[in-house]
Amino acid sequence: MSTEKSLEWHERAKRVIPGGVSSPVRAFSAVGGTPRYMVKGAGSHVWDVDGNQYIDLVGSWGPMIVGHAHPEVIKAVLETSRDSSSFGAPSPHEVELAEEICNRISVIEKVRFVSSGTEAVMTAVRLSRASTSRDLIVKFIGCYHGHSDALLVQAGSGVITLGLPNSPGVTQGQTQDTITLQYNDAEGLKSLFAERGSDIAAVITEATPANMGVVPPLPGFNKLIADLCHSNGALMILDEVMTGFRISRGGWWESTEPEGWVPDIFTFGKVIGGGYPLAALAGKANIMDLLAPLGSVYQAGTLSGNPVATTAGLATLNLCDDALYAKLDQRANEVGKGISGALTESGIEHSYQSAGNLFSFFFTPHFVNNYEEAKGQDSKKFAKFFHSMLNQGVSLPPSAFEAWFVNGAMSDLDIEKIISAAVISAKVAASS
Ligand SMILES: *Cc1c(COP(=O)(O)O)cnc(C)c1O
C-alpha cells in the first residue's frame, strides 16, 4: 500500500497546522506512523489521497451513522445550500429538527442548537450552575465532555492518548469547582454527596462512557446519579453527544428509560449533524427557558442552528429508523465477536466491551469498569494490530481508548473482510 501522497500532505500540514491536525487524536500519536489524508467516502468505505480504499470503522467518530455521502443527505444539503448557507436569522430547518428531537425523546421539551459538543456541554454546565445557584460540578475520570476549561480535567481518550492528565493553560480557578471520581464508583459518589451535597450544581456523565474505550455503567449507576442529584437539589447532565441517536432512536436514555430515572439536561452532537457542525442541549422547559432571551443565562452563536447543518441532521435522522438500529446492532455484534475471536485464536488477552452498537477492545485480561483499569492495557499491542488492519484496508480509530463505529451501509462482504484482516493482524500483534 503506497502512502507517499499522505506523507507529503502531512509534511505540508505540519508546517502550517500544529502537529498537522485540526484535532489531536487524528495525528496517530498513540499508534505511531502518519495519518492517511482522506479525500472521498461512499457508504461504508473511504479513500485516501494515494487511492487506497478502506472499510471505515471511525465514521468521523460517530456522525456517519448512515454511511458516507448518503444520497438522501446529499440531496437535502444541496437543496438547502442553493438557498444560502446561513442567514443569522431563524429558519424553518432548525425548528423541524428540534421537533424531531422532542418527538424521539419524550421528556425533552426544548432544544438549543450550538455548533459543537464542547459548546453544548459548556452551556449545560453554565445552565446547571445558574439554575441551582451553586458552583461545584462532579465529573468522572476518563469521561470526555469536550475541551472547555472546567471539564478538561481527567478527560478521556484524546487527553489519555497523549498521556496528559490535565491541560496546561487551564487555571486552577477554572478547575477548582470540578470534582472528579472514578467511573462506576457508587460508594465514592454517595460519600461525596453526604459531604458536599448542598454545594453540588450538577453531576455530568457520559450516558455510557465511550471515550476511554467502551465502559458500560454498572446496573443502577445512572439511576443512582439521578437519585442523588435530585434528593440534593443538584442537576444531572447526561452527555449523549456520542450515544444520542446512535444507540437507539433517541439514544442511551431513551433505550433504558424503563429503569425510571430522568436526567435534567441532555447534550447531543455527532449524529444530529449528519457530518456537519451541529450539537445541542435539551431538557424540560423550566430549565431550558433560563437561557437568553427568555432568561438571563447567556449563550449565542453566529452559525448556531445553521440551515445546512440542521437539514443534514434531519435528513440523517429520517434514515435512522428501527430497521437501521437493528442493523447497526447486528453489524456491531458481527464485527465485535469476529475480532474478539481472532484475538483469542492468537492468544491475545483482551476484554471485548460493548454498550448498544458501540464497542471496543481493551488489551487486558480483565473487564474494565473505569479509567484506572483501562489505562493498564497493552497499548503497544493495539498499535501493531491497528497498523496491520490499516495496511489491509480497514480503518480503525487510532487509539486503544476509543470506541469503534459501525454504519448502516456495511455489507456482509465488509464484515468478512474485516474479520479475515483481523485474523492476520492478531497474529502480527501476538508475534511481537
Ligand atoms: C465528542 C464528544 C464531545 C465533544 O464534542 P465535539 O463536537 O467534539 O466538541 C463531548 N462529549 C462526548 C461524550 C463526546 O463523545
Side-chain angles (χ1 to χ4, degrees), residues 61 115-119 121 144-147 206 210-211 239-243 267 269-270 278-279:
W61 306 93
S115 299
S116 71
T118 293
E119 255 185 285
V121 173
Y144 180 64
H145 302 293
H147 63 96
E206 285 187 58
N211 279 291
D239 186 350
E240 295 230 41
V241 169
M242 186 178 287
T243 50
T267 52
K270 299 191 168 110
L278 186 71

PDB file of all heavy atoms in Angstrom, residues 61 115-119 121 144-147 206 210-211 239-243 267 269-270 278-279, ligand 1:
ATOM      1  N   TRP A  61     -15.920   9.578  13.927  1.00  0.00           N
ATOM      2  CA  TRP A  61     -16.113   9.479  15.379  1.00  0.00           C
ATOM      3  C   TRP A  61     -17.595   9.515  15.745  1.00  0.00           C
ATOM      4  O   TRP A  61     -17.963  10.013  16.803  1.00  0.00           O
ATOM      5  CB  TRP A  61     -15.312  10.561  16.118  1.00  0.00           C
ATOM      6  CG  TRP A  61     -13.878  10.520  15.746  1.00  0.00           C
ATOM      7  CD1 TRP A  61     -13.271  11.239  14.752  1.00  0.00           C
ATOM      8  CD2 TRP A  61     -12.854   9.662  16.289  1.00  0.00           C
ATOM      9  NE1 TRP A  61     -11.947  10.886  14.650  1.00  0.00           N
ATOM     10  CE2 TRP A  61     -11.669   9.927  15.587  1.00  0.00           C
ATOM     11  CE3 TRP A  61     -12.845   8.707  17.311  1.00  0.00           C
ATOM     12  CZ2 TRP A  61     -10.471   9.268  15.851  1.00  0.00           C
ATOM     13  CZ3 TRP A  61     -11.651   8.064  17.580  1.00  0.00           C
ATOM     14  CH2 TRP A  61     -10.484   8.343  16.861  1.00  0.00           C
ATOM     15  N   SER A 115     -22.795  24.671  17.831  1.00  0.00           N
ATOM     16  CA  SER A 115     -22.038  24.114  16.703  1.00  0.00           C
ATOM     17  C   SER A 115     -21.124  22.945  17.060  1.00  0.00           C
ATOM     18  O   SER A 115     -20.595  22.285  16.174  1.00  0.00           O
ATOM     19  CB  SER A 115     -21.210  25.212  16.040  1.00  0.00           C
ATOM     20  OG  SER A 115     -22.072  26.215  15.554  1.00  0.00           O
ATOM     21  N   SER A 116     -20.876  22.696  18.355  1.00  0.00           N
ATOM     22  CA  SER A 116     -20.033  21.549  18.711  1.00  0.00           C
ATOM     23  C   SER A 116     -20.476  20.986  20.052  1.00  0.00           C
ATOM     24  O   SER A 116     -21.113  21.685  20.858  1.00  0.00           O
ATOM     25  CB  SER A 116     -18.557  21.957  18.801  1.00  0.00           C
ATOM     26  OG  SER A 116     -18.354  22.761  19.949  1.00  0.00           O
ATOM     27  N   GLY A 117     -20.109  19.718  20.281  1.00  0.00           N
ATOM     28  CA  GLY A 117     -20.418  19.082  21.557  1.00  0.00           C
ATOM     29  C   GLY A 117     -19.802  19.846  22.719  1.00  0.00           C
ATOM     30  O   GLY A 117     -20.404  19.970  23.788  1.00  0.00           O
ATOM     31  N   THR A 118     -18.609  20.348  22.492  1.00  0.00           N
ATOM     32  CA  THR A 118     -17.929  21.136  23.523  1.00  0.00           C
ATOM     33  C   THR A 118     -18.808  22.292  23.991  1.00  0.00           C
ATOM     34  O   THR A 118     -18.996  22.511  25.184  1.00  0.00           O
ATOM     35  CB  THR A 118     -16.599  21.701  22.962  1.00  0.00           C
ATOM     36  OG1 THR A 118     -15.713  20.611  22.728  1.00  0.00           O
ATOM     37  CG2 THR A 118     -15.950  22.690  23.917  1.00  0.00           C
ATOM     38  N   GLU A 119     -19.349  23.015  23.015  1.00  0.00           N
ATOM     39  CA  GLU A 119     -20.207  24.159  23.332  1.00  0.00           C
ATOM     40  C   GLU A 119     -21.487  23.726  24.049  1.00  0.00           C
ATOM     41  O   GLU A 119     -21.963  24.409  24.954  1.00  0.00           O
ATOM     42  CB  GLU A 119     -20.646  24.792  22.014  1.00  0.00           C
ATOM     43  CG  GLU A 119     -20.009  26.071  21.626  1.00  0.00           C
ATOM     44  CD  GLU A 119     -20.685  26.557  20.351  1.00  0.00           C
ATOM     45  OE1 GLU A 119     -20.408  25.995  19.271  1.00  0.00           O
ATOM     46  OE2 GLU A 119     -21.504  27.476  20.443  1.00  0.00           O
ATOM     47  N   VAL A 121     -21.962  21.135  25.999  1.00  0.00           N
ATOM     48  CA  VAL A 121     -21.693  20.761  27.385  1.00  0.00           C
ATOM     49  C   VAL A 121     -21.340  21.994  28.216  1.00  0.00           C
ATOM     50  O   VAL A 121     -21.799  22.159  29.345  1.00  0.00           O
ATOM     51  CB  VAL A 121     -20.565  19.711  27.442  1.00  0.00           C
ATOM     52  CG1 VAL A 121     -20.180  19.448  28.871  1.00  0.00           C
ATOM     53  CG2 VAL A 121     -20.995  18.421  26.745  1.00  0.00           C
ATOM     54  N   TYR A 144     -15.198  12.028  28.637  1.00  0.00           N
ATOM     55  CA  TYR A 144     -14.841  13.229  27.882  1.00  0.00           C
ATOM     56  C   TYR A 144     -16.096  14.041  27.622  1.00  0.00           C
ATOM     57  O   TYR A 144     -17.125  13.495  27.203  1.00  0.00           O
ATOM     58  CB  TYR A 144     -14.199  12.836  26.550  1.00  0.00           C
ATOM     59  CG  TYR A 144     -13.791  14.018  25.691  1.00  0.00           C
ATOM     60  CD1 TYR A 144     -12.811  14.917  26.117  1.00  0.00           C
ATOM     61  CD2 TYR A 144     -14.383  14.223  24.444  1.00  0.00           C
ATOM     62  CE1 TYR A 144     -12.439  15.991  25.319  1.00  0.00           C
ATOM     63  CE2 TYR A 144     -14.005  15.302  23.639  1.00  0.00           C
ATOM     64  CZ  TYR A 144     -13.036  16.176  24.086  1.00  0.00           C
ATOM     65  OH  TYR A 144     -12.665  17.235  23.289  1.00  0.00           O
ATOM     66  N   HIS A 145     -15.992  15.328  27.909  1.00  0.00           N
ATOM     67  CA  HIS A 145     -17.152  16.193  27.683  1.00  0.00           C
ATOM     68  C   HIS A 145     -16.754  17.411  26.866  1.00  0.00           C
ATOM     69  O   HIS A 145     -17.278  18.501  27.074  1.00  0.00           O
ATOM     70  CB  HIS A 145     -17.748  16.613  29.035  1.00  0.00           C
ATOM     71  CG  HIS A 145     -18.162  15.460  29.894  1.00  0.00           C
ATOM     72  ND1 HIS A 145     -19.208  14.615  29.558  1.00  0.00           N
ATOM     73  CD2 HIS A 145     -17.662  14.976  31.062  1.00  0.00           C
ATOM     74  CE1 HIS A 145     -19.341  13.681  30.499  1.00  0.00           C
ATOM     75  NE2 HIS A 145     -18.408  13.877  31.410  1.00  0.00           N
ATOM     76  N   GLY A 146     -15.802  17.244  25.960  1.00  0.00           N
ATOM     77  CA  GLY A 146     -15.344  18.372  25.161  1.00  0.00           C
ATOM     78  C   GLY A 146     -14.208  19.081  25.866  1.00  0.00           C
ATOM     79  O   GLY A 146     -13.788  18.696  26.965  1.00  0.00           O
ATOM     80  N   HIS A 147     -13.701  20.148  25.229  1.00  0.00           N
ATOM     81  CA  HIS A 147     -12.467  20.745  25.731  1.00  0.00           C
ATOM     82  C   HIS A 147     -12.655  22.092  26.410  1.00  0.00           C
ATOM     83  O   HIS A 147     -11.753  22.916  26.444  1.00  0.00           O
ATOM     84  CB  HIS A 147     -11.428  20.822  24.606  1.00  0.00           C
ATOM     85  CG  HIS A 147     -11.841  21.710  23.460  1.00  0.00           C
ATOM     86  ND1 HIS A 147     -11.433  23.026  23.380  1.00  0.00           N
ATOM     87  CD2 HIS A 147     -12.635  21.483  22.404  1.00  0.00           C
ATOM     88  CE1 HIS A 147     -11.966  23.570  22.285  1.00  0.00           C
ATOM     89  NE2 HIS A 147     -12.693  22.652  21.683  1.00  0.00           N
ATOM     90  N   GLU A 206     -21.129  10.679  30.897  1.00  0.00           N
ATOM     91  CA  GLU A 206     -21.488  10.132  29.590  1.00  0.00           C
ATOM     92  C   GLU A 206     -22.579   9.091  29.846  1.00  0.00           C
ATOM     93  O   GLU A 206     -22.500   8.331  30.821  1.00  0.00           O
ATOM     94  CB  GLU A 206     -20.279   9.456  28.925  1.00  0.00           C
ATOM     95  CG  GLU A 206     -19.258  10.436  28.375  1.00  0.00           C
ATOM     96  CD  GLU A 206     -18.156   9.731  27.569  1.00  0.00           C
ATOM     97  OE1 GLU A 206     -18.475   9.043  26.580  1.00  0.00           O
ATOM     98  OE2 GLU A 206     -16.976   9.861  27.938  1.00  0.00           O
ATOM     99  N   ALA A 210     -17.662   6.141  26.461  1.00  0.00           N
ATOM    100  CA  ALA A 210     -17.106   5.548  25.247  1.00  0.00           C
ATOM    101  C   ALA A 210     -15.911   6.368  24.792  1.00  0.00           C
ATOM    102  O   ALA A 210     -15.504   6.299  23.643  1.00  0.00           O
ATOM    103  CB  ALA A 210     -18.174   5.479  24.161  1.00  0.00           C
ATOM    104  N   ASN A 211     -15.351   7.145  25.697  1.00  0.00           N
ATOM    105  CA  ASN A 211     -14.177   7.952  25.369  1.00  0.00           C
ATOM    106  C   ASN A 211     -12.945   7.508  26.154  1.00  0.00           C
ATOM    107  O   ASN A 211     -11.923   8.187  26.166  1.00  0.00           O
ATOM    108  CB  ASN A 211     -14.457   9.429  25.626  1.00  0.00           C
ATOM    109  CG  ASN A 211     -15.241  10.069  24.475  1.00  0.00           C
ATOM    110  OD1 ASN A 211     -14.717  10.230  23.372  1.00  0.00           O
ATOM    111  ND2 ASN A 211     -16.493  10.395  24.711  1.00  0.00           N
ATOM    112  N   ASP A 239     -24.572  13.423  29.167  1.00  0.00           N
ATOM    113  CA  ASP A 239     -23.878  13.745  27.921  1.00  0.00           C
ATOM    114  C   ASP A 239     -24.090  12.607  26.927  1.00  0.00           C
ATOM    115  O   ASP A 239     -23.522  11.528  27.054  1.00  0.00           O
ATOM    116  CB  ASP A 239     -22.386  13.966  28.213  1.00  0.00           C
ATOM    117  CG  ASP A 239     -21.619  14.449  26.984  1.00  0.00           C
ATOM    118  OD1 ASP A 239     -22.202  14.423  25.875  1.00  0.00           O
ATOM    119  OD2 ASP A 239     -20.449  14.852  27.133  1.00  0.00           O
ATOM    120  N   GLU A 240     -24.976  12.874  25.960  1.00  0.00           N
ATOM    121  CA  GLU A 240     -25.253  11.886  24.913  1.00  0.00           C
ATOM    122  C   GLU A 240     -24.699  12.374  23.574  1.00  0.00           C
ATOM    123  O   GLU A 240     -25.242  12.055  22.516  1.00  0.00           O
ATOM    124  CB  GLU A 240     -26.768  11.610  24.813  1.00  0.00           C
ATOM    125  CG  GLU A 240     -27.355  10.952  26.055  1.00  0.00           C
ATOM    126  CD  GLU A 240     -28.193   9.710  25.745  1.00  0.00           C
ATOM    127  OE1 GLU A 240     -27.792   8.898  24.877  1.00  0.00           O
ATOM    128  OE2 GLU A 240     -29.268   9.560  26.359  1.00  0.00           O
ATOM    129  N   VAL A 241     -23.616  13.144  23.622  1.00  0.00           N
ATOM    130  CA  VAL A 241     -23.026  13.635  22.374  1.00  0.00           C
ATOM    131  C   VAL A 241     -22.629  12.442  21.485  1.00  0.00           C
ATOM    132  O   VAL A 241     -22.843  12.467  20.272  1.00  0.00           O
ATOM    133  CB  VAL A 241     -21.818  14.559  22.640  1.00  0.00           C
ATOM    134  CG1 VAL A 241     -21.047  14.839  21.358  1.00  0.00           C
ATOM    135  CG2 VAL A 241     -22.289  15.876  23.243  1.00  0.00           C
ATOM    136  N   MET A 242     -22.118  11.381  22.098  1.00  0.00           N
ATOM    137  CA  MET A 242     -21.753  10.216  21.301  1.00  0.00           C
ATOM    138  C   MET A 242     -22.910   9.228  21.147  1.00  0.00           C
ATOM    139  O   MET A 242     -23.133   8.672  20.086  1.00  0.00           O
ATOM    140  CB  MET A 242     -20.546   9.498  21.909  1.00  0.00           C
ATOM    141  CG  MET A 242     -20.055   8.372  21.026  1.00  0.00           C
ATOM    142  SD  MET A 242     -18.612   7.550  21.661  1.00  0.00           S
ATOM    143  CE  MET A 242     -17.335   8.736  21.376  1.00  0.00           C
ATOM    144  N   THR A 243     -23.660   9.012  22.223  1.00  0.00           N
ATOM    145  CA  THR A 243     -24.681   7.949  22.215  1.00  0.00           C
ATOM    146  C   THR A 243     -26.028   8.400  21.640  1.00  0.00           C
ATOM    147  O   THR A 243     -26.813   7.569  21.195  1.00  0.00           O
ATOM    148  CB  THR A 243     -24.919   7.458  23.656  1.00  0.00           C
ATOM    149  OG1 THR A 243     -25.146   8.602  24.490  1.00  0.00           O
ATOM    150  CG2 THR A 243     -23.717   6.687  24.172  1.00  0.00           C
ATOM    151  N   THR A 267     -27.123  16.503  26.464  1.00  0.00           N
ATOM    152  CA  THR A 267     -26.340  17.144  25.411  1.00  0.00           C
ATOM    153  C   THR A 267     -26.202  16.172  24.243  1.00  0.00           C
ATOM    154  O   THR A 267     -26.073  14.965  24.445  1.00  0.00           O
ATOM    155  CB  THR A 267     -24.938  17.556  25.902  1.00  0.00           C
ATOM    156  OG1 THR A 267     -24.298  16.438  26.509  1.00  0.00           O
ATOM    157  CG2 THR A 267     -25.016  18.690  26.901  1.00  0.00           C
ATOM    158  N   GLY A 269     -24.692  15.750  19.916  1.00  0.00           N
ATOM    159  CA  GLY A 269     -23.784  16.241  18.887  1.00  0.00           C
ATOM    160  C   GLY A 269     -23.634  15.115  17.872  1.00  0.00           C
ATOM    161  O   GLY A 269     -24.546  14.318  17.694  1.00  0.00           O
ATOM    162  N   LYS A 270     -22.475  15.015  17.263  1.00  0.00           N
ATOM    163  CA  LYS A 270     -22.158  13.917  16.352  1.00  0.00           C
ATOM    164  C   LYS A 270     -23.335  13.536  15.428  1.00  0.00           C
ATOM    165  O   LYS A 270     -23.559  14.242  14.458  1.00  0.00           O
ATOM    166  CB  LYS A 270     -21.588  12.749  17.149  1.00  0.00           C
ATOM    167  CG  LYS A 270     -20.279  13.205  17.850  1.00  0.00           C
ATOM    168  CD  LYS A 270     -19.446  12.138  18.472  1.00  0.00           C
ATOM    169  CE  LYS A 270     -18.082  12.684  18.861  1.00  0.00           C
ATOM    170  NZ  LYS A 270     -17.832  12.812  20.283  1.00  0.00           N
ATOM    171  N   LEU A 278     -22.805  20.584  14.225  1.00  0.00           N
ATOM    172  CA  LEU A 278     -24.075  20.832  14.909  1.00  0.00           C
ATOM    173  C   LEU A 278     -24.110  20.042  16.205  1.00  0.00           C
ATOM    174  O   LEU A 278     -23.688  18.890  16.245  1.00  0.00           O
ATOM    175  CB  LEU A 278     -25.245  20.382  14.016  1.00  0.00           C
ATOM    176  CG  LEU A 278     -26.640  20.707  14.543  1.00  0.00           C
ATOM    177  CD1 LEU A 278     -26.913  22.199  14.473  1.00  0.00           C
ATOM    178  CD2 LEU A 278     -27.715  19.967  13.752  1.00  0.00           C
ATOM    179  N   ALA A 279     -24.603  20.666  17.256  1.00  0.00           N
ATOM    180  CA  ALA A 279     -24.789  19.987  18.535  1.00  0.00           C
ATOM    181  C   ALA A 279     -25.935  20.695  19.242  1.00  0.00           C
ATOM    182  O   ALA A 279     -26.465  21.683  18.726  1.00  0.00           O
ATOM    183  CB  ALA A 279     -23.503  20.057  19.368  1.00  0.00           C
TER     184      ALA A 279
HETATM  185  C1  LIG B   1     -17.257  14.050  21.072  1.00  0.00           C
HETATM  186  C2  LIG B   1     -17.781  14.302  22.429  1.00  0.00           C
HETATM  187  C3  LIG B   1     -17.878  15.596  22.971  1.00  0.00           C
HETATM  188  C4  LIG B   1     -17.319  16.808  22.256  1.00  0.00           C
HETATM  189  O1  LIG B   1     -17.974  17.081  21.064  1.00  0.00           O
HETATM  190  P1  LIG B   1     -17.225  17.983  19.959  1.00  0.00           P
HETATM  191  O2  LIG B   1     -18.249  18.178  18.899  1.00  0.00           O
HETATM  192  O3  LIG B   1     -16.036  17.186  19.519  1.00  0.00           O
HETATM  193  O4  LIG B   1     -16.827  19.243  20.620  1.00  0.00           O
HETATM  194  C5  LIG B   1     -18.484  15.759  24.201  1.00  0.00           C
HETATM  195  N1  LIG B   1     -18.962  14.705  24.875  1.00  0.00           N
HETATM  196  C6  LIG B   1     -18.882  13.445  24.403  1.00  0.00           C
HETATM  197  C7  LIG B   1     -19.459  12.331  25.190  1.00  0.00           C
HETATM  198  C8  LIG B   1     -18.277  13.201  23.178  1.00  0.00           C
HETATM  199  O5  LIG B   1     -18.164  11.941  22.728  1.00  0.00           O
END
